[in-house]
Amino acid sequence: MLVHQVRNHKIFIIIVLVFFLLFVHFEHINIFFCKTFYDKINLNVYLSLINSEVHSISSEPSNKVHLKAVVKDSNGNLIPYIEVSFENTKDFGAMHPSKAVTNSQGECLVTYVPDNYYNLNAGTNPQPISITASIAGTNINSTVKLNLVPIPIVFIHGYRETEDVFDNLNEFISSKGYTCSSINYDSTLGVEYGAKELELFLQDQKREFLSQGILVGKFDLIVHSMGGLVARYYSGSKNYLKNDDVNKVIFLSVPHKGSVLASIGEEYFNDKSIKELVPDNELFVGIFPNTINNGLNSSIQIGNLLSQYDEVVTNESASLDKWGIKTEIFSVGENSFTVNNLLNGNILDAPNHKGILNNNTVFSRIFEMLNTDLPYPAVINK
């Protein structure tokens, strides 16, 4: 009798255990059943972009593209628990995940992460790719085609200049296949004002690209003189953490610590910007040190170029050594810094300071910088 009771008890435990395992692994059993059963049925997979308006993307890893794969049978019924694999035909970037199982609604999501465009060895012409979803174990697939394009360029001019100051450089960069634009802002209203205008400009640019079917996440900025301070102010702000839309900044003769020439300029001009450009102004001693990474965002790649004999920016003022960024110096003209020029105000014409925007050697170096990884600023501990 006791033996019989023990046997019944064991059987009861086994039954409970079986039901528990069935309950816990019900979905896995469903997956196995669906895979086995539907292997013999005519299935279809349909791959589409979440944003169906997009046909091109600026190619850099943060500019991710999201796609959806849907599996249906010949009657149009959504089929769950089907394994789908994903790939892009030229291995330009990566799929995450590379395999997925359709959910109870017969769909699964996947993300395409592009590589940096300059790693594709494709020049600067749009590079077509195909992203394919395939039902595992079959030749049933669906493909979405996209074009990869270089990151757009935005030029930011300096004090009392306009976008025209970049005409020659813009023509050179555009001839290499880049899409370029320039922000025009009132440079007399201060660096903070310029930074707000830059934020709005980049947002407008993204919307404009999207209206043309091009998904843009970040821009490369080429900035001159005070324009570099505008870029630093914006990319160091709290708003930037939300936008995160700058990939590189290439500084051209930027007075990162102000310009002694601004003190002379105050005799000719009376506006907020000229006062901010004076060394030891609150912008340099109070504001920048209290922005992201002491005023040079460590998530943005940096290049720093200076013209030799620059009348506005000294080597010391242009230096970013604090962040471990090298300053590259280019000869673009003779030394015009004389006492007479200083006293009569002719030095304000600054031929070398502007000459960096019209020099073929500088142009070639900028093009190289656009086509390679640049250093990130070292993190500064306050």
Side-chain angles (χ1 to χ4, degrees), residues 21-240:
L21 292 174
L22 286 173
F23 176 79
V24 171
H25 297 288
F26 178 73
E27 184 172 347
H28 294 94
I29 292 171
N30 267 344
I31 293 172
F32 174 78
F33 173 78
C34 288
K35 284 183 179 179
T36 303
F37 182 73
Y38 285 116
D39 275 345
K40 300 177 182 179
I41 294 180
N42 185 22
L43 298 180
N44 295 289
V45 60
Y46 302 96
L47 182 66
S48 62
L49 291 163
I50 299 298
N51 188 338
S52 58
E53 299 175 353
V54 171
H55 57 70
S56 301
I57 60 173
S58 64
S59 192
E60 48 90 6
S62 75
N63 198 27
K64 300 175 176 61
V65 179
H66 304 289
L67 304 96
K68 178 174 69 174
V70 178
V71 175
K72 297 181 180 181
D73 64 17
S74 56
N75 294 317
N77 298 310
L78 296 168
I79 308 301
Y81 313 121
I82 298 297
E83 186 177 282
V84 180
S85 60
F86 302 91
E87 63 179 356
N88 70 84
T89 51
K90 297 183 179 180
D91 289 329
F92 287 170
M95 307 301 303
H96 296 288
S98 59
K99 293 182 179 180
V101 175
T102 57
N103 60 19
S104 59
Q105 302 301 311
E107 63 183 32
C108 53
L109 302 180
V110 64
T111 300
Y112 169 65
V113 182
D115 199 353
N116 284 310
Y117 194 88
Y118 45 81
N119 291 333
L120 308 184
N121 297 317
T124 50
N125 295 317
Q127 184 62 40
I129 64 163
S130 296
I131 299 174
T132 301
S134 303
I135 296 178
T138 76
N139 60 359
I140 301 169
N141 60 66
S142 177
T143 298
V144 167
K145 294 183 178 181
L146 288 169
N147 287 318
L148 302 181
V149 298
I151 297 173
I153 309 298
V154 172
F155 297 108
I156 309 176
H157 64 77
Y159 179 65
R160 289 188 175 269
E161 295 292 346
T162 67
E163 61 181 340
D164 296 342
V165 76
F166 287 109
D167 279 353
N168 291 334
L169 178 56
N170 190 343
E171 181 179 354
F172 176 85
I173 298 297
S174 297
S175 72
K176 300 296 184 180
Y178 286 91
T179 301
C180 301
S181 60
S182 298
I183 176 175
N184 245 343
Y185 67 104
D186 188 341
S187 62
T188 67
L189 298 181
V191 171
E192 181 181 8
Y193 169 82
K196 291 178 179 178
E197 290 293 292
L198 175 59
E199 179 181 12
L200 295 174
F201 182 81
L202 295 183
Q203 296 300 314
D204 286 343
Q205 285 291 296
K206 281 191 274 190
R207 285 190 289 268
E208 177 63 25
F209 276 112
L210 190 58
S211 72
Q212 301 172 26
I214 306 170
L215 183 65
V216 173
K218 293 188 176 185
F219 299 85
D220 287 342
L221 308 184
I222 300 177
V223 299
H224 178 241
S225 195
M226 174 184 159
L229 304 180
V230 169
R232 285 183 58 190
Y233 196 107
Y234 167 59
S235 59
S237 68
K238 290 183 178 180
N239 280 355
Y240 180 79

Side-chain angles (χ1 to χ4, degrees), residues 183-367:
I183 176 175
N184 245 343
Y185 67 104
D186 188 341
S187 62
T188 67
L189 298 181
V191 171
E192 181 181 8
Y193 169 82
K196 291 178 179 178
E197 290 293 292
L198 175 59
E199 179 181 12
L200 295 174
F201 182 81
L202 295 183
Q203 296 300 314
D204 286 343
Q205 285 291 296
K206 281 191 274 190
R207 285 190 289 268
E208 177 63 25
F209 276 112
L210 190 58
S211 72
Q212 301 172 26
I214 306 170
L215 183 65
V216 173
K218 293 188 176 185
F219 299 85
D220 287 342
L221 308 184
I222 300 177
V223 299
H224 178 241
S225 195
M226 174 184 159
L229 304 180
V230 169
R232 285 183 58 190
Y233 196 107
Y234 167 59
S235 59
S237 68
K238 290 183 178 180
N239 280 355
Y240 180 79
L241 296 177
K242 173 186 66 178
N243 299 328
D244 193 22
D245 50 9
V246 177
N247 179 58
K248 293 178 181 176
V249 180
I250 299 177
F251 294 112
L252 305 177
S253 292
V254 174
H256 294 293
K257 301 177 183 67
S259 171
V260 293
L261 211 57
S263 300
I264 299 174
E266 284 186 289
E267 298 180 11
Y268 299 86
F269 309 111
N270 182 26
D271 56 59
K272 184 174 183 179
S273 294
I274 197 67
K275 293 177 173 59
E276 288 182 334
L277 292 172
V278 174
D280 296 328
N281 180 273
E282 177 64 13
L283 177 69
F284 303 108
V285 300
I287 296 176
F288 276 146
N290 287 296
T291 58
I292 295 172
N293 199 36
N294 273 230
L296 200 63
N297 195 316
S298 60
S299 70
I300 298 172
Q301 297 179 43
I302 298 295
N304 195 33
L305 281 58
L306 174 67
S307 58
Q308 190 179 30
Y309 308 129
D310 193 298
E311 304 89 352
V312 175
V313 185
T314 65
N315 290 18
E316 195 276 333
S317 180
S319 174
L320 294 174
D321 287 349
K322 178 180 178 180
W323 294 272
I325 302 296
K326 176 185 175 183
T327 303
E328 300 181 32
I329 300 177
F330 292 82
S331 176
V332 300
E334 297 179 355
N335 187 358
S336 61
F337 204 102
T338 66
V339 173
N340 286 336
N341 284 342
L342 185 63
L343 293 176
N344 62 26
N346 289 339
I347 198 67
L348 295 176
D349 294 333
N352 288 332
H353 183 62
K354 298 175 185 177
I356 198 169
L357 301 177
N358 299 284
N359 182 275
N360 287 330
T361 302
V362 174
F363 290 178
S364 296
R365 180 58 183 139
I366 292 173
F367 180 64

